[in-house]
Amino acid sequence: MRSARLSLALETGALTLPVSGRIAVYRPRIGDDLSALPEGRVVVLTGFKPDHDYFAARHSVAPAAPYAAAIVCLPRSREAARALIAQAAVEVAPSGWIAVDGQKTDGIDTGLKDLRGRVDLSESLSKAHGKLASFPAGVDLSDWRAKPSMVEGFQTLPGTFSADGPDRGSLLLAAALPAKLVGKVADLGAGWGFLATEILKRPGVKKLDLVEAEADALDCAKVNIPDPRARFHWADATTWRPETLLDAVVMNPPFHTGRAADPALGAGFIRAARRMLAPDGSLWLVANRHLPYDAALADCFLDVREVAGDGAFRVIHATKPRRDPLRAKP
């Protein structure tokens, strides 16, 4: 675990805490223990809303650069990892240090290899299936900064879901949406806005709520969708509530919280959709065929039908949301 490597680095002197100044931690995940760092001096920087909310209850989440030191928790995307390291290189004072930490399954070996040719990198410390190494701040890594890309007319950023273009599941779902989709609609896990763009091609849609937990993706969606019917929410889709009950929910829910598949995440999206829908509302969902969503769908909807798909994906239209005795008014 990340906390074990951090504690070991501090105990062995591989890292020495600065005597003063704030310590930035970039992109930690829920459950990461930062208690080895001095209380009151930690600033957590993350654009993923569930992680942001988790750490906001424990540490400062307000940017206050420059920092005295930083720990970069590498994401899986190589380009996104480089961009985070480059951001830290700008935001840490030249007298400080930057530590890079990650799991082997998330590409820490590649990340450290990339760094060795650019900075004076320390020996790596290995523990708990991951590695940590550090280098002095004050280096120029500006060529690694995140750069928006234009893909089929859409702006995307490295590290966002399907940054190279619409994924197969979303294409299938978009093709299956009815021409007469109407009323108030939400796109849960909206990403950079491909499905929202397709939804807004329906003139009967009065309002569309785009709900996305990743701030970078939502920022791209704001660029990609100038339609005044769209409203943007940086939020966890499993807990977000609309102002009024909805006529339809459209979603291609994520099913990874890390490298391993987590079907409970998609099931949480399905339960959230049920809470948001009016009694005559409907859910349009695309999912990989192997994901075990049938029980959640049956628990939440009286009528569940597969309306499109291929060998890898299925598109589900679910109607007649079951009454939720615990549902509060949105």
Side-chain angles (χ1 to χ4, degrees):
M1 293 178 63
R2 197 181 317 281
S3 56
R5 290 188 295 275
L6 176 59
S7 296
L8 182 60
L10 293 171
E11 290 168 3
T12 60
L15 290 178
T16 302
L17 290 173
V19 295
S20 62
R22 293 191 167 194
I23 301 167
V25 184
Y26 295 81
R27 299 289 297 202
R29 300 305 306 267
I30 289 175
D32 283 347
D33 182 1
L34 306 181
S35 61
L37 299 174
E39 186 175 357
R41 292 174 57 193
V42 176
V43 179
V44 171
L45 303 169
T46 179
F48 187 61
K49 193 61 162 63
D51 293 340
H52 176 277
D53 291 348
Y54 174 86
F55 287 104
R58 296 160 175 81
H59 304 283
S60 171
V61 291
Y67 303 108
I71 300 167
V72 178
C73 307
L74 287 197
R76 290 174 59 188
S77 164
R78 186 179 185 182
E79 286 185 311
R82 286 183 168 192
L84 272 183
I85 296 168
Q87 180 182 347
V90 170
E91 295 179 344
V92 174
S95 59
W97 49 257
I98 299 166
V100 179
D101 179 274
Q103 296 298 110
K104 292 181 179 179
T105 52
D106 287 340
I108 183 62
D109 288 318
T110 298
L112 296 182
K113 182 180 178 181
D114 289 345
L115 273 169
R116 284 193 182 96
R118 301 292 304 271
V119 302
D120 182 16
L121 193 66
S122 71
E123 291 295 320
S124 60
L125 182 153
S126 299
K127 190 175 180 66
H129 309 292
K131 293 183 178 180
L132 180 149
S134 63
F135 61 93
V139 296
D140 181 9
L141 297 174
S142 56
D143 56 309
W144 281 6
R145 295 299 298 269
K147 301 176 181 65
S149 300
M150 293 302 296
V151 179
E152 300 181 26
F154 294 97
Q155 178 176 295
T156 70
L157 274 173
T160 57
F161 172 70
S162 196
D164 296 330
D167 68 294
R168 177 63 181 161
S170 293
L171 290 168
L172 287 168
L173 178 54
L177 292 176
K180 293 185 178 180
L181 195 66
V182 298
K184 296 170 289 187
V185 183
D187 179 359
L188 302 187
W192 43 261
F194 170 72
L195 278 173
T197 299
E198 295 297 313
I199 294 166
L200 289 168
K201 290 179 180 178
R202 279 68 179 172
V205 172
K206 296 179 180 178
K207 183 184 74 171
L208 175 62
D209 289 303
L210 287 81
V211 184
E212 172 56 45
E214 185 54 67
D216 283 346
L218 193 66
D219 286 344
C220 289
K222 292 174 182 177
V223 174
N224 294 330
I225 302 173
D227 194 304
R229 293 174 292 168
R231 300 198 303 179
F232 303 89
H233 308 274
W234 183 43
D236 180 347
T238 64
T239 58
W240 178 80
R241 295 292 183 96
E243 293 176 354
T244 59
L245 294 177
L246 302 173
D247 298 295
V249 170
V250 178
M251 62 184 186
N252 179 1
F255 60 95
H256 287 87
T257 52
R259 183 169 291 273
D262 181 10
L265 184 57
F269 269 62
I270 292 168
R271 288 190 290 270
R274 185 267 303 272
R275 293 192 299 268
M276 298 173 192
L277 286 166
D280 59 348
S282 63
L283 168 66
W284 294 88
L285 160 74
V286 66
N288 294 68
R289 285 197 176 275
H290 71 273
L291 293 171
Y293 290 159
D294 292 311
L297 286 164
D299 285 344
C300 293
F301 295 90
L302 290 170
D303 190 354
V304 178
R305 302 180 185 183
E306 182 175 332
V307 294
D310 60 14
F313 295 93
R314 55 178 179 157
V315 177
I316 299 294
H317 183 212
T319 58
K320 301 178 182 178
R322 292 181 182 272
R323 183 173 181 269
D324 180 359
L326 299 179
R327 179 164 60 192
K329 293 182 179 180

